[in-house]
Amino acid sequence: MARRNEEVEALLGEYADLIAITGGDAFKARAYEKAARAIGGHPADVSGLDADGLMEIPNVGRSIAEKVLEYLRTGKVAAVEERRARIPDGVRELIAIPTLGPKKALRLYEDLHISSVDELTAAIEADALADLKGFGEKTQENILHGIRLLRQAGDRIPVHLALDTAEEVLAELSAVTGCESSAYAGSLRRMRETIGDIDVLVAAGRSAPFMDALVSMPSTAEVIAHGEKKTSIRTHKGVQVDLRVLPPRSWGAGMQYFTGSKAHNIRTRTIAVREGLKLSEYGLFDTRSGKSLASRTEEEVYARLGLPWIPPALREDRGEIEAALRGELPEILTERDIRGDLHTHTDLTDGLASLETMVEAAARRGYAYYAVTDHAPNLYMQRMTDEKILAQRERLRELDGTRRRMRLLHGTELNIGPDGEVDWPGEFLAGFDLCVASLHSHFDQDRRAMTRRLVRACENPYVNVIGHPTTRLIGKRPGVDADWDEVFAACARTGTALEVNAQPDRLDLRDEDILRARRHGVRFAVNTDAHSVLHLAHLRYGVGTAQRGWLTKDDVINTWTLTRLRRFLRKSGRN
């Protein structure tokens, strides 16, 4: 059963926005933001907690706990409804635009009576915002970019939400009598960062029991189509699920066909036609005789086409067919290859769990090593000091090796300042096992300044990894503008790894960036940037993105032995 935490997180996050829009107390808005994040990251389902249990969650006080209980009991919160009623619908539509904050949305409504995305687009194109303070040319460009992001996203959902839904559906269908196999396919199996519809396949002799089971699921809100070969439903969360039931003998061909991508399938069908064959979701057939030549497994379908099995994440027609024909397909990274996480946080800064709790959770994942990298002092809201970080180091050294012999690394996430400088001086940084450096502000610098800033960070002898390099938030914030080829070359030259951040709202670097960076000889680190125990499981999304970027174990530093990793962390040029 799905956890209610995400619903509560979204509600409290909305309430924080509503407080800000209506001119409420900024500290109160911030309190609700913190509580929303804490509940989203809490390991237990909040629907099973009473007020006292809720107040054990960090940043959740009595008032917030009561609102959560009210929502779980009635499906709404009176205080939220009251704030919603004070905000015109048009303003709430504008707030959905990435890069446009709530206060700017309210000003557009009050000063220019703009109440829709289309009206705002037209106003910018007509230069109607020119005299409105705070809406200069750069701001208008950012808003237009945000509108493009909003429209591109459409009804697509993040990969982690799609995967949650798919696994819920598969759990129901796999329990139906007669199910021989079940799996999700499509862009979700290829680990695209956002998903349209979820394709689910079942191998069985009869389709009706599975079609009936899907439409009867508690999470089904709408039946779009209910047929013998295909049934489509929409869940209460608005996600469309398409189910197809295949004969068991056609399972491999069906998985190959419905996994896609369309471009990859065109290439495989072209190969089939050239060989006098026909490839469909039911199998690979001899065109003249109609005889089935391969269908039960993907491996035998690919083999009959003269190809090795191609991992789903590579099936985008980006050279995988050619590489397969040459026998040069990479042995891409798997989650099992990861020996440790090199970017995580605790409640010393903005994490939700203690050092001990995070270390124990990492040990349960079977890691050989694990790094704690709390924020450095220039991210002022985290109130880091030299004394705090040194006390953490002392405690970490006490824990080192005590959890299933997992070795602990003491690191920090530094802030890359506007000129490329980082928080602490070299002599202090020398005491850390590794340093991740990330952009947290000044995202609007021009291309030349941003490039110089990132290159300078790479050239710092104590910076080992550039965290979430482009800073993008999928569907919400574009990546910064930089000459990425120059940055990638600097990483390769200085021995600085680039992070593939596994947080599903980031997945930064993107797969396309990874492919470019890899050609420069860059090394990578696939990290979770975990701020809670639950976030450690996000590794799967980072690995999926790394696979789409064709990364192997040798490309990724946190698949290496600790000895090899430590050698890499001692950058050339470091004293």
Side-chain angles (χ1 to χ4, degrees):
M1 184 179 292
R3 298 161 70 249
R4 302 291 301 279
N5 300 42
E6 288 77 13
E7 296 174 33
V8 175
E9 179 182 14
L11 181 79
L12 296 181
E14 180 191 0
Y15 190 45
D17 283 343
L18 292 172
I19 291 169
I21 296 168
T22 54
D25 186 341
F27 290 103
K28 182 177 180 180
R30 178 68 176 154
Y32 276 90
E33 287 176 5
K34 289 181 176 180
R37 194 164 54 83
I39 287 172
H42 189 64
D45 188 340
V46 293
S47 63
L49 302 178
D50 58 13
D52 290 337
L54 287 167
M55 287 190 292
E56 290 179 5
I57 301 173
N59 303 312
V60 176
R62 173 69 62 182
S63 176
I64 293 175
E66 288 174 353
K67 288 183 176 64
V68 172
L69 291 174
E70 181 184 353
Y71 174 74
L72 294 172
R73 186 175 63 254
T74 68
K76 59 177 66 175
V77 175
V80 177
E81 296 298 316
E82 187 274 329
R83 292 268 181 177
R84 283 174 176 167
R86 292 164 57 185
I87 306 298
D89 290 340
V91 176
R92 293 173 63 188
E93 180 179 341
L94 294 178
I95 292 169
I97 301 171
T99 73
L100 182 67
K103 291 183 179 178
K104 276 189 166 62
L106 187 61
R107 283 197 61 204
L108 288 167
Y109 179 83
E110 291 178 340
D111 293 4
L112 298 177
H113 308 292
I114 293 171
S115 59
S116 73
V117 174
D118 289 341
E119 288 177 3
L120 178 55
T121 303
I124 293 174
E125 290 173 349
D127 202 26
L129 272 61
D131 297 328
L132 196 60
K133 186 177 180 182
F135 287 86
E137 185 176 341
K138 183 66 174 178
T139 298
Q140 292 182 50
E141 287 176 8
N142 288 338
I143 293 172
L144 286 175
H145 188 83
I147 291 171
R148 287 194 293 272
L149 287 174
L150 181 67
R151 288 172 172 165
Q152 286 168 7
D155 294 327
R156 296 184 71 82
I157 59 173
V159 61
H160 68 298
L161 298 182
L163 193 54
D164 286 347
T165 299
E167 290 179 341
E168 214 177 303
V169 170
L170 289 174
E172 294 276 349
L173 298 181
S174 63
V176 175
T177 301
C179 178
E180 294 195 18
S181 300
S182 63
Y184 54 81
S187 56
L188 179 56
R189 189 176 179 221
R190 301 197 316 275
M191 290 300 286
R192 290 282 302 273
E193 62 191 35
T194 60
I195 311 299
D197 304 333
I198 298 173
D199 296 298
V200 173
L201 304 183
V202 166
R206 296 177 58 242
S207 66
F210 300 92
M211 303 306 189
D212 293 343
L214 181 67
V215 301
S216 302
M217 284 180 54
S219 58
T220 297
E222 175 191 1
V223 178
I224 300 169
H226 189 178
E228 182 181 347
K229 293 185 177 180
K230 178 184 175 182
T231 291
S232 299
I233 61 99
R234 198 177 311 281
T235 71
H236 286 289
K237 293 183 178 179
V239 183
Q240 182 172 328
V241 179
D242 298 330
L243 169 64
R244 295 172 177 84
V245 179
L246 301 166
R249 65 179 179 277
S250 298
W251 178 249
M255 283 294 287
Q256 195 279 331
Y257 181 87
F258 288 111
T259 294
S261 65
K262 181 179 179 180
H264 177 85
N265 283 357
I266 289 172
R267 296 295 304 279
T268 55
R269 287 201 298 272
T270 300
I271 294 172
V273 169
R274 200 163 55 232
E275 298 293 323
L277 308 172
K278 178 184 177 182
L279 179 61
S280 73
E281 65 265 43
Y282 296 105
L284 187 62
F285 301 91
D286 183 278
T287 304
R288 289 185 178 180
S289 68
K291 180 182 178 182
S292 175
L293 303 177
S295 62
R296 287 193 173 273
T297 69
E298 282 191 315
E299 287 82 357
E300 69 179 42
V301 170
Y302 277 108
R304 188 61 184 79
L305 293 173
L307 298 167
W309 179 78
I310 298 175
L314 301 186
R315 300 181 196 177
E316 298 289 352
D317 191 25
R318 295 197 289 206
E320 72 276 8
I321 298 290
E322 292 79 2
L325 289 170
R326 295 193 305 267
E328 296 176 359
L329 268 183
E331 189 173 333
I332 57 173
L333 181 75
T334 69
E335 195 170 347
R336 291 187 303 274
D337 295 326
I338 301 294
R339 293 179 184 237
D341 200 330
L342 301 181
H343 182 180
T344 70
H345 297 273
T346 75
D347 60 3
L348 183 63
T349 54
D350 58 346
L352 301 177
S354 67
L355 172 65
E356 291 80 3
T357 300
M358 293 298 289
V359 167
E360 182 59 39
R364 288 197 299 269
R365 295 183 64 84
Y367 287 148
Y369 46 81
Y370 177 74
V372 175
T373 56
D374 275 312
H375 289 287
N378 286 358
L379 201 62
Y380 299 110
M381 68 187 74
Q382 306 307 337
R383 302 179 186 276
M384 178 57 77
T385 64
D386 295 7
E387 292 74 23
K388 285 183 180 180
I389 201 75
L390 291 175
Q392 182 187 68
R393 181 178 301 166
E394 184 176 347
R395 177 57 181 150
L396 184 138
R397 298 301 184 218
E398 292 171 357
L399 294 171
D400 187 21
T402 65
R403 301 299 195 273
R404 310 184 194 198
R405 304 182 71 178
M406 181 179 71
R407 301 306 306 271
L408 298 177
L409 303 175
H410 192 231
T412 183
E413 184 179 10
L414 302 167
N415 307 283
I416 303 175
D419 295 321
E421 74 280 4
V422 295
D423 304 67
W424 278 301
E427 58 268 23
F428 194 82
L429 294 178
F432 289 99
D433 295 313
L434 81 158
C435 296
V436 178
S438 308
L439 300 170
H440 292 112
S441 63
H442 299 84
F443 300 143
D444 58 351
Q445 285 183 310
D446 64 41
R447 183 182 182 87
R448 184 177 178 183
M450 186 64 74
T451 303
R452 185 170 61 246
R453 179 182 180 186
L454 286 162
V455 169
R456 186 179 174 196
C458 293
E459 290 173 342
N460 186 308
Y462 297 98
V463 170
N464 304 114
V465 180
I466 302 296
H468 43 77
T470 76
T471 79
R472 73 154 182 174
L473 293 174
I474 298 171
K476 296 180 180 178
R477 184 173 73 206
V480 297
D481 185 19
D483 182 338
W484 287 105
D485 286 304
E486 185 175 339
V487 175
F488 297 154
C491 287
R493 170 172 52 82
T494 60
T496 307
L498 283 170
E499 181 175 73
V500 180
N501 189 292
Q503 287 291 323
D505 62 343
R506 289 187 183 274
L507 298 181
D508 182 13
L509 288 172
R510 305 177 305 156
D511 54 353
E512 298 95 330
D513 297 326
I514 294 169
L515 287 163
R516 284 172 59 194
R518 189 169 183 259
R519 288 194 287 270
H520 285 273
V522 174
R523 300 294 194 182
F524 302 84
V526 180
N527 298 323
T528 64
D529 191 4
H531 285 66
S532 74
V533 168
L534 290 180
H535 290 172
L536 293 172
H538 286 164
L539 181 69
R540 66 196 301 188
Y541 308 115
V543 169
T545 302
Q547 290 176 337
R548 292 178 57 79
W550 293 49
L551 294 188
T552 68
K553 284 196 299 184
D554 195 53
D555 296 315
V556 178
I557 65 172
N558 50 323
T559 69
W560 299 350
T561 64
L562 183 57
T563 300
R564 184 182 178 191
L565 174 63
R566 286 191 185 278
R567 281 201 303 269
F568 178 85
L569 297 176
R570 292 193 293 271
K571 291 175 69 171
S572 59
R574 179 169 172 171
N575 295 329

